[in-house]
Structure formats: structure tokens, C-alpha cells
């Protein structure tokens, strides 16, 4: 078990990170990119000592199966390709308008539900040349520490700029030490965590909020012509559902099938069921926490009572009518709903989620998705993607409607 | 209609015959099976559950969440005599339990309370920390407590409006009981007791024969107090021993209640949680939440309750409450996180300005 941070060690981490600001800021971009590329290659390697240790530790801490861990690492690191990093770096070096000054210290509060979620904000911090102390969740701090260890191997002269401190949430004194000295505070977690911590951030700092969220899938009218297309679409849906065992803030909890397709929700459901069965073989689900099992029992029972439930070994598909949508408990339980064509009913379903709607996976081509995104009311800024890629966001896109350097560059 | 009448009479006879608390009657399971079979045919939503039955040897159980989305009743709304509603949840939708008549509810509630709270024929002064029935007609707790006043009460004082605790009225009642040495029973939700404790100045020494019945728990609202800490708090404030602090377990979706008291089950102590007594007309099963199948005794699971008195809805109910069986008693372990938060205690805390 990793040693938890104390007030003393946390202050040392803050001071150490700050002391590395200058070397980080003076490092040429190409050299920084080279270091990051090596770090990501190291973490992505199944045979390097760092990669092997990482995978072993992640099996202990994440609750995911080894196959899912491998998929997550592979897809996340692929999204952070050298080309993607170069594109990202150009944005950081030349942000829109004004002068830029890196924040003096970034407090990065991480959650534990999606272990790869730390990669992007860490990379953004480094590209913004901001010394960072990541407060890792005591439930899973494996990847942040692995990242730090890898930077020490591949970029020792800037490694001090990234520090990781592990302690449980609710340790007010430790949180205050970190928050009070940061100029940028990123918070990933439940809304309650967001509210509690934001209230204690000094007015001189910028809060970059990433509260709890969910995804929804949409099959617009006319995009699914008939049964021949259903298996491929179902595979895409199943991958989005199965990824991270549906625990992430981009994970879809409902699939909306607009009328005007070749299949309706009832007809599509068996295809999604079969696709989840295939996923269960390639990417088995991890263990089911007891409290989730209780919620799953309730959710599936409601589905049985008011609609259709197709129940598999470690997954289930429901087809229900009605508003509001019923959120699933995750862990590969997904509801399919029929929807009227057009935007009115779609907006009626999605608007209540507000900023919690983080991802909208849309079948069909990109133009369809973009058009739907443009039609959403203000305040709804989900990431629009195709089905099958809801959980693999690009690194250089907007992040909840904001540029990746938001708050990090002043 | 005849089948319903026949079942109703069988249930009533069973409850009356077991008014002494005697158990081990094989008729219980037979009656429950017959009720479930009848409900299967008369409540479509319940009938659909039978198609997915995963609990061998028992009829399927209706998850409590279903009451939030569907009408769960054998009769139409035009025949509703009373509708009890769950407290508001974070998702907003309230569960509704519709009753065509309340005879079985009353019969069960009276018999169980007689055994667990009011074993003496002598009526008792009552202090009620629950809103009166007239102000909260949809609360099953308010209904039940109003019946207790009728059946068991002597001098009774309501000290709870829908949105405020009348702590002055409560304190006056307590001081009078102390002064005149008249045994007093205080019935209320856990949150109401916490608010009363916070409002009172000084302790009260209630005379022997007094007791508390508390119900509901703490679902992450305002203050969260463990059951054993609650025993300490109530004991210190009201001068009561742990065995005089009873726990009632009920829910809107049920007609019957479980108790831990000096007379039935084991009340919580300063070190151990309560172990609830189960009335003879109720069957409890601890189920594995992942499979829905019964757990071995002593294994933690989720509580399923089969309540004979639930004739016009569904007798077999699946809760989200974690529990473990200890011989013939049930020890509650709290609500499964992730389950929809609920409870009358919650609504009362909201009324009293507790945080969301």
C-alpha cells in the first residue's frame, strides 16, 4: 500500500514542483514532446519494466480485467500519438489572443473511476509549462505515480515539475494546503467534491471543473437502414458501453433510437445483446461491487416490470418507454429507448442532464453529429463523437466546451 | 373478487392466530405462494417479473423502485381508499402504494405493535415526533402512528408539523412526564430525534415504563449518526437504557413492520446494532444482489421481504437494504450505496432545514 501524504510531505511536493518551473518553462517544445513520447511509449509497453509493473498494479487497483486495462492503455496512449501531441503543443504555444503566462502552480484533483483520465490533464499541465501537484485518489493512484516514475527515467531535469500526493478525499487540512497555493485548480469527481473544494479555492485561482457526468448514444432517423447494418452498429454501442465497465463520465447510459430507422429499439436490442456477449469474451467485465449489484437488481427489475429486459452474464439490455430516461447503474447495463424524429423530443430528453451530459455518441457521419450538437440548447456541451469512440476522446479537442489550456495559461 | 375475499380472510385469520407472536407455521409460505400466484395474474407488471424468475423456490420479488415508475395495484385508481407515497428522492419520482382497504394493514400493524411496543393493556401517554395524519395524508408513517394513538394512546401530544418541530411542545410534554412520573413513549423518526436533541437544553429523566420508538436512518443528510451512537445520544438525553430504545423498520411499499425492542428482537446497545424481530406473517430472505438468490445464513446480502398483508399490491418486495440474518432476526447494515436514497426521515430533515 502506498504511503499517504502528510502535511509535511505535501508541502515538500508543492515546493519541489514550484522549484522546477523554470527548467520546465525553458525546455524547448521539441524536447518536451520527445520526453512525453518516450514516457507514453514506456507506459504503453507490455515488456518494459515500467509497463509490466504498471499493468500488475492496475489489476490490483482498478477492478478492471487485464484485457480491459490493456484496451484502455492502448486506446488512450494511441490518442496521444506524437502527431497529436505536436498539434496540441502548437495550441499551447500559441493560444488565442493576448499574452500567456503559465499558472504558478496547478492543483490537479483526480478521481478513480477511469484510471486513464489522468493522462490528458497531466500532459496539458506539462505543455502549459505549469508545475503540478496531482492529488491522487487513495482508491487508485497507480497511473499518476507510474507517469512520474517514467518522467524521472526519460526527463529527469523536468521530472520535479510533476508531483503526486495520495490522500483520501475529505482530508480538509491537506486539501487546504494544496488549494491555497494553487493558481489553477482542476477538480475531477462527484458534484459534491466539486462544490466542497471549489468553495475553498481562493479567488485568485481558476477552478477548472470536471464534475460527474454521463453519456448518451443516439441513432438519428435514417442512419440505420436495416438489419444488415445492425451488427456493426451494435458492436460500436457495445464497445462504448463495455469500456471501463461503463464507469466513466463518457459512458453511455441510454441509447436513443429515433423513429424513421429500419429498426426500432425493440428490434435493435437483440443485436446489442449479442454484441455485449461478444464484448464479454474479448473484454471481460471486472468484479461487481456489492452496492452496484443492489442498484442493478433494482434497475433490472424495473426494466422487467415495465418493458423488456435481455439479461446476459454480466450485462443487460432493456427497452423501455417514457420520460425521463432511467439512468443505469453502469457495469454494462444499458437502456434503449424509442424517440420521435426531429430535435424536440431529443432536447426534452437531454436538457435535464445539463452540464452532466459529457458525451453524445451519434450514429452516421460526422456532419450529422455536428448538426445535432449545434441544435442543443446553450449549456449542453457534450463531446460529440461517433458511436464506438465515445470513450476515446481526441487530446486536442475542446474539453467540456473549453480549450485544454483553460485556467493553466493566464 | 371471490378469490380476493378468500385470500383476505385467510390472511386475517393467520394474523389473528399469530397475535401471540408464535412462528413456525407452514401455512405462512402456502399463503404467500397463493397471494403471489393471484397477484401474478392480476398485476401485469408483476406477471412480467415471473418471466425472468431467478429465485428458485420463491415467487419473484418486486423491486421497490418499480413503485416509482408504475402503478403496482390489483385494483384501479377509482377504488383507491388511500395512497401512501415515498419521500422525495434525489431523482424526484415518488413511489406510490395504493390501498383499496386498510384492514389488513391495520390488523398487521396493531398485532405487531402490541407484541413489540405495547404488550400491556394499559394505555400509554405518547409524544409523537411525526407529522399528524391530517397534514401528511400520504405518509404511511403518519397513518400508522395515528392508529397507535387510537389503539394504545392515553394522553397524546403531536409535536411535529410538516415543516417544523415544535420543540417547546415536546419539551413541555417531556418535563411533565418527568415531573409527574408518568411513563411516556416517544415515537419519531431518527432525524426528528436529532433535531429535538439539538433544540433541548438539558436532559430529561423519563420514568420507568417509558420508551422510544425510532424509525428511519441517516442517508448522508445533515448529521449522520450510527445506530449505536444514536442509542448513546437518546439514552443521555432522555434517561433511558438501551433496551428501552426500540427500532421500527417499515416502508411505504409494505404493510407490515419489523421491530427491535425490549420485547421483540434485540434493541441496539452501545456496541451492537439492533436485530429486528420479524412478525409471523412476514417472510424475510437475504439475497445475493448479483444473482437474486438466497444467501446462506450469516452472509451479508440485500433484504427481501414477503409481506402477507400486501394483498392489493405485491407481497414479495425486494429492498435495497443491506442485511444479514442472525438466527430468526434481521440485522440491518445500511442502505446499499448507489441505491436511490429514501426514507421518511429524509423528508422530515428537509422540512427542518437539513442540507440536501
Amino acid at each position: 500500500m502506498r504511503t499517504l501524504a502528510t502535511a509535511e510531505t505535501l508541502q515538500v511536493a508543492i515546493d519541489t514542483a514550484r522549484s522546477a518551473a523554470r527548467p520546465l518553462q525553458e525546455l524547448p517544445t521539441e524536447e518536451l514532446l520527445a520526453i512525453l513520447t518516450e514516457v507514453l511509449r514506456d507506459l504503453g509497453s507490455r515488456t518494459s519494466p515500467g509497463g509490466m509493473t504498471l499493468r500488475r498494479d492496475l489489476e490490483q487497483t482498478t477492478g478492471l480485467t487485464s484485457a480491459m486495462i490493456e484496451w484502455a492503455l492502448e486506446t488512450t496512449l494511441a490518442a496521444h500519438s506524437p502527431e497529436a501531441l505536436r498539434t496540441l503543443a502548437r495550441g499551447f504555444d500559441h493560444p488565442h489572443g493576448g499574452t500567456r503566462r503559465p499558472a504558478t502552480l496547478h492543483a490537479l484533483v483526480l478521481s478513480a473511476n477511469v484510471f486513464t483520465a489522468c493522462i490528458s490533464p497531466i500532459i496539458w499541465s506539462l505543455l502549459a509549462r505549469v508545475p503540478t501537484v496531482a492529488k491522487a485518489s487513495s482508491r487508485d493512484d497507480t497511473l499518476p505515480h507510474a507517469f512520474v516514475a517514467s518522467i524521472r527515467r526519460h526527463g529527469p531535469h523536468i521530472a520535479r515539475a510533476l508531483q503526486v500526493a495520495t490522500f483520501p478525499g475529505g482530508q480538509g487540512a491537506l486539501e487546504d494546503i494544496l488549494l491555497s497555493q494553487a493558481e489553477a485548480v482542476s477538480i475531477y469527481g462527484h458534484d459534491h467534491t466539486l462544490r466542497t473544494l471549489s468553495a475553498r479555492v481562493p479567488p485568485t485561482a481558476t477552478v477548472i471543473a470536471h464534475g460527474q457526468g454521463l453519456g448518451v448514444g443516439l441513432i438519428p432517423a435514417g442512419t440505420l437502414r436495416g438489419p444488415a447494418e445492425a451488427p456493426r452498429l451494435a458492436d460500436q454501442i457495445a464497445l462504448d458501453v463495455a469500456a471501463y465497465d461503463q464507469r466513466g463520465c463518457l459512458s453511455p447510459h441510454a441509447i436513443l433510437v429515433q423513429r424513421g430507422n429500419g429498426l426500432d429499439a425493440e428490434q435493435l436490442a437483440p443485436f446489442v445483446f449479442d454484441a455485449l456477449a461478444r464484448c464479454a469474451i474479448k473484454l471481460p467485465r471486472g468484479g461487481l461491487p456489492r452496492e452496484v449489484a443492489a442498484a442493478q437488481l433494482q434497475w433490472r427489475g424495473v426494466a422487467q416490470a415495465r418493458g423488456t429486459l435481455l439479461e446476459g452474464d454480466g450485462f443487460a439490455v432493456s427497452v423501455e418507454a417514457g420520460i425521463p430516461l432511467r439512468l443505469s447503474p453502469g457495469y454494462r447495463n444499458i437502456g434503449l429507448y424509442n424517440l420521435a424524429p426531429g430535435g424536440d423530443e431529443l432536447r426534452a430528453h437531454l436538457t435535464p442532464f445539463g452540464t452532466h451530459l459529457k458525451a453524445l455518441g451519434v450514429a452516421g457521419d460526422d456532419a450529422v453529429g455536428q448538426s445535432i450538437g449545434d441544435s442543443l440548447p446553450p449549456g449542453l456541451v457534450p463531446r460529440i463523437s461517433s458511436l464506438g469512440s465515445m470513450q476515446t476522446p481526441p487530446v486536442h479537442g475542446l474539453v467540456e466546451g473549453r480549450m485544454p489550456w483553460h485556467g493553466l495559461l493566464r | 373478487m371471490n378469490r380476493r375475499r378468500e385470500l383476505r380472510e385467510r390472511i386475517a385469520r393467520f394474523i389473528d392466530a399469530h397475535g401471540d407472536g408464535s412462528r413456525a407455521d407452514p401455512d405462512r409460505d402456502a399463503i404467500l405462494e397463493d397471494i403471489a400466484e393471484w397477484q401474478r395474474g392480476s398485476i401485469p407488471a408483476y406477471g412480467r417479473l415471473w418471466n425472468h424468475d431467478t429465485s428458485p423456490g420463491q415467487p419473484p420479488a418486486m423491486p421497490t423502485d418499480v413503485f416509482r415508475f408504475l402503478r403496482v395495484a390489483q385494483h384501479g385508481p377509482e377504488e383507491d381508499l388511500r395512497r401512501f407515497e415515498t419521500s422525495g428522492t434525489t431523482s424526484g419520482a415518488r413511489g406510490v402504494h395504493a390501498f383499496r382497504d386498510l384492514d389488513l394493514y391495520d390488523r398487521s400493524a396493531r398485532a405487531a405493535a402490541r407484541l413489540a411496543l405495547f404488550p400491556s393493556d394499559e394505555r400509554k401517554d405518547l409524544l409523537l415526533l411525526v407529522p399528524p395524519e391530517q397534514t401528511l395524508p400520504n405518509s404511511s408513517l403518519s397513518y400508522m402512528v395515528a392508529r397507535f394513538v387510537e389503539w394504545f394512546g392515553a394522553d397524546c401530544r403531536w409535536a411535529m408539523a410538516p415543516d417544523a418541530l415544535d420543540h417547546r411542545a415536546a419539551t413541555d410534554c417531556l418535563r411533565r412526564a418527568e415531573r409527574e412520573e408518568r411513563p411516556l413513549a416517544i415515537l419519531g423518526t431518527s432525524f426528528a430525534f436529532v433535531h429535538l436533541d439539538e433544540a433541548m437544553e438539558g436532559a430529561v429523566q423519563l420514568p420507568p415504563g417509558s420508551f422510544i420508538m425510532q424509525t428511519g436512518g441517516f442517508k448522508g443528510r445533515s448529521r449522520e449518526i450510527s445506530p449505536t451512537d444514536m442509542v448513546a445520544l437518546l439514552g443521555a438525553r432522555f434517561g433511558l437504557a438501551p433496551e428501552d430504545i426500540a427500532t421500527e423498520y417499515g416502508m411505504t411499499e409494505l404493510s407490515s413492520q419489523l421491530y427491535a425492542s425490549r420485547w421483540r428482537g434485540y434493541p441496539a446497545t452501545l456496541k451492537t446494532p439492533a436485530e429486528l424481530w420479524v412478525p409471523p406473517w412476514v417472510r424475510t430472505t437475504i439475497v445475493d444482489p448479483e444473482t437474486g438468490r438466497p444467501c446462506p445464513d450469516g452472509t451479508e446480502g440485500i433484504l427481501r421481504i414477503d409481506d402477507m398483508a400486501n394483498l392489493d399490491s405485491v407481497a414479495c418486495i425486494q429492498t435495497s437494504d443491506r442485511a444479514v440474518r442472525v438466527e430468526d432476526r434481521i440485522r440491518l447494515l445500511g442502505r446499499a450505496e448507489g441505491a436511490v436514497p429514501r426514507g421518511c426521515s429524509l423528508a422530515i430533515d428537509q422540512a427542518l432545514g437539513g442540507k440536501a
Side-chain angles (χ1 to χ4, degrees):
Chain A
M1 186 172 162
R2 207 183 300 280
T3 305
L4 297 179
T6 64
E8 290 73 29
T9 61
L10 179 58
Q11 190 58 56
V12 167
I14 292 169
D15 294 339
T16 303
R18 275 212 182 106
S19 72
R22 190 159 177 184
L24 178 61
Q25 286 159 18
E26 291 178 348
L27 187 69
T29 300
E30 280 304 314
E31 206 174 315
L32 177 57
L33 289 177
I35 293 170
L36 291 176
T37 298
E38 282 307 304
V39 166
L40 295 175
R41 185 173 297 144
D42 182 21
L43 297 177
S45 167
R46 296 184 209 191
T47 55
S48 71
M52 287 167 58
T53 303
L54 173 63
R55 281 151 179 78
R56 184 199 65 215
D57 291 347
L58 286 172
E59 284 184 36
Q60 303 292 319
T61 56
T62 62
L64 298 171
T65 59
S66 57
M68 179 55 72
I69 289 168
E70 203 56 52
W71 178 89
L73 284 171
E74 195 176 299
T75 52
T76 302
L77 299 177
H80 293 80
S81 66
E83 297 70 33
L85 289 178
R86 180 157 287 109
T87 302
L88 189 59
R90 274 200 293 274
F92 274 84
D93 285 347
H94 302 285
H96 299 302
T99 57
R100 72 171 184 99
R101 170 181 75 75
T104 53
L105 181 72
H106 180 207
L108 173 57
V109 180
L110 297 168
S111 69
N113 60 328
V114 174
F115 77 93
T116 53
C118 64
I119 295 287
S120 284
I122 287 175
I123 288 177
W124 298 332
S125 303
L126 293 171
L127 288 177
R129 316 307 182 106
V130 178
T132 296
V133 175
K135 183 269 171 207
S137 168
S138 56
R139 285 183 291 134
D140 180 16
D141 63 355
T142 300
L143 188 49
H145 279 285
F147 200 106
V148 166
S150 188
I151 282 197
R152 286 190 189 132
R153 287 192 289 275
H154 299 287
H157 45 302
I158 60 156
R160 288 175 299 129
L162 176 65
Q163 300 287 317
V164 179
T166 300
F167 55 91
Q171 302 265 295
L174 295 181
E175 289 164 351
D176 286 342
I177 289 172
L178 182 56
L179 298 178
S180 64
Q181 298 178 66
E183 214 177 16
V185 179
S186 294
I187 306 172
Y188 289 80
H190 285 290
D191 286 353
H192 172 76
T193 302
L194 203 59
R195 276 195 301 270
T196 309
L197 295 183
S198 296
R200 287 146 56 199
V201 171
T204 48
T206 301
V207 174
I208 309 154
H210 301 278
Q212 63 197 71
L214 68 142
V216 172
L218 173 67
I219 302 173
T223 51
L224 175 60
R225 282 184 286 265
E229 297 175 3
R232 183 166 169 273
L233 180 63
D235 279 337
Q236 293 170 342
I237 292 170
L239 182 58
D240 286 330
V241 170
Y244 301 97
D245 288 349
Q246 208 182 4
R247 290 156 43 180
C249 58
L250 304 178
S251 297
H253 285 258
I255 306 294
L256 309 180
V257 185
Q258 286 188 324
R259 294 194 187 85
N261 279 300
L263 278 70
D264 61 17
E266 283 88 357
Q267 293 163 329
L268 182 60
F271 291 97
V272 176
F273 179 87
D274 290 344
L276 282 170
R278 289 191 291 275
C279 254
I281 297 169
K282 287 186 312 188
L283 297 172
R285 196 200 68 191
L288 188 68
R290 192 166 281 275
E291 60 273 13
V292 177
Q296 177 177 276
L297 197 61
Q298 293 285 327
W299 185 85
R300 291 185 180 184
V302 174
Q304 288 166 2
R306 75 172 199 157
T308 301
L309 181 76
L310 305 177
E311 206 165 4
D313 184 8
F315 58 92
V317 180
S318 80
V319 182
E320 298 176 51
I323 297 171
L325 302 180
R326 270 195 334 123
L327 297 185
S328 84
Y331 286 80
R332 310 200 187 186
N333 291 283
I334 187 69
L336 271 57
Y337 298 80
N338 285 313
L339 201 68
D344 289 347
E345 203 168 296
L346 175 65
R347 281 187 289 274
H349 275 79
L350 298 184
T351 300
F353 294 126
T355 54
H356 292 132
L357 183 65
K358 306 283 186 186
L360 183 63
V362 182
D365 61 38
D366 290 348
V368 172
Q370 195 55 54
S371 163
I372 287 169
D374 291 343
S375 74
L376 295 177
L380 255 64
V381 286
R383 175 183 160 252
I384 309 290
S385 73
S386 54
L387 286 168
S389 54
M390 289 179 73
Q391 308 240 33
T392 50
V395 302
H396 44 71
L398 290 178
V399 182
E400 299 185 48
R402 301 180 294 248
M403 301 307 291
W405 52 78
H406 171 78
L408 299 175
L409 298 176
R410 323 272 283 186
Chain B
M1 184 61 75
N2 285 336
R3 181 62 172 154
R4 180 185 178 273
R5 191 184 307 129
E6 177 202 331
L7 285 169
R8 189 170 170 280
E9 287 169 3
R10 277 174 75 192
I11 297 165
R13 276 198 304 273
F14 188 99
I15 293 173
D16 291 347
H18 292 82
D20 59 355
S22 56
R23 299 200 67 84
D25 189 335
D27 273 354
R28 179 197 70 177
D29 288 356
I31 293 173
L32 284 168
E33 299 296 316
D34 288 347
I35 293 170
E37 193 68 48
W38 177 68
Q39 291 170 342
R40 172 187 189 179
S42 55
I43 301 174
Y46 188 50
R48 282 194 284 274
L49 288 191
W50 283 71
N51 299 333
H52 293 267
D53 187 12
T54 58
S55 48
Q58 289 185 342
M62 176 78 88
T64 49
D65 274 4
V66 177
F67 286 77
R68 295 169 48 223
F69 292 94
L70 293 174
R71 179 175 170 87
V72 181
Q74 185 272 336
H75 59 281
E78 68 282 357
E79 292 185 88
D80 286 349
L81 173 69
R82 201 67 170 260
R83 291 158 50 97
F84 294 138
E85 294 180 7
T86 61
S87 310
T89 67
T90 54
S91 73
R94 292 175 179 255
V96 176
H97 190 179
F99 284 83
R100 183 190 204 158
D101 78 67
L102 287 160
D103 175 71
L104 291 179
Y105 186 107
D106 289 353
R107 203 177 284 263
S108 163
R110 185 170 191 166
R114 169 70 72 196
L115 290 166
L117 300 177
F118 304 102
S120 161
D121 287 336
E122 195 174 333
R123 285 178 171 264
K124 197 179 281 291
D125 292 348
L126 303 178
L127 171 61
L128 298 324
L129 304 183
V130 171
E133 183 183 10
Q134 310 86 274
T135 57
L136 267 190
N138 294 339
S139 164
S140 58
L141 177 64
S142 293
Y143 174 82
M144 184 186 82
V145 170
R147 303 288 80 71
F148 286 1
V149 167
E150 291 170 6
W151 301 327
F152 310 116
D155 193 350
C156 302
R157 189 71 193 268
W158 295 88
M160 185 91 192
D163 57 357
L165 171 70
D166 187 348
H167 61 85
R168 191 155 294 143
T171 307
D172 286 348
C173 183
L174 291 162
R175 293 290 176 207
R176 180 188 164 207
E178 181 185 40
R179 190 172 58 244
E180 299 181 12
E181 294 189 4
R182 288 173 63 103
L184 178 70
I186 318 171
L187 313 184
T189 64
S190 304
F191 276 141
F193 277 109
V194 167
H195 285 286
L196 178 59
D197 176 71
E198 289 171 348
M200 282 181 66
E201 293 175 9
V204 165
Q205 192 64 38
L206 291 177
S210 301
F211 69 87
I212 278 172
M213 182 207 86
Q214 56 161 345
T215 186
F218 298 89
K219 281 79 180 177
R221 301 292 303 273
S222 65
R223 287 170 67 181
E224 185 145 353
I225 301 178
S226 72
T228 48
D229 285 349
M230 193 69 172
V231 168
L233 181 151
L234 296 176
R237 179 65 68 186
F238 301 106
L240 293 173
E243 54 266 31
D244 291 319
I245 300 168
T247 298
E248 183 262 5
Y249 174 87
M251 55 177 59
T252 302
E253 295 87 348
L254 295 175
S255 299
S256 300
Q257 298 79 37
L258 282 56
Y259 289 97
S261 72
R262 166 191 283 278
W263 295 281
R264 296 285 156 175
Y266 291 134
T269 68
L270 294 173
K271 291 182 183 169
T272 56
E275 292 177 8
L276 299 165
W277 163 76
V278 181
W281 49 90
V282 174
R283 179 174 65 196
T284 55
T285 311
I286 310 298
V287 304
D288 182 329
E290 194 162 353
T291 63
R293 293 173 185 267
C295 293
D297 280 358
T299 305
E300 178 187 328
I302 304 296
L303 180 61
R304 165 184 166 150
I305 299 177
D306 301 338
D307 181 0
M308 206 182 280
N310 255 16
L311 178 62
D312 288 324
S313 57
V314 171
C316 304
I317 298 293
Q318 183 59 62
T319 80
S320 292
D321 290 320
R322 293 164 45 228
V324 66
R325 181 180 304 285
V326 181
E327 295 177 354
D328 61 349
R329 300 174 301 280
I330 297 296
R331 181 184 297 163
L332 287 178
L333 304 172
R335 190 154 181 79
E337 281 180 34
V340 176
R342 54 175 294 140
C344 52
S345 233
L346 210 66
I348 289 173
D349 185 58
Q350 261 180 330
L352 294 172
K355 290 177 194 171

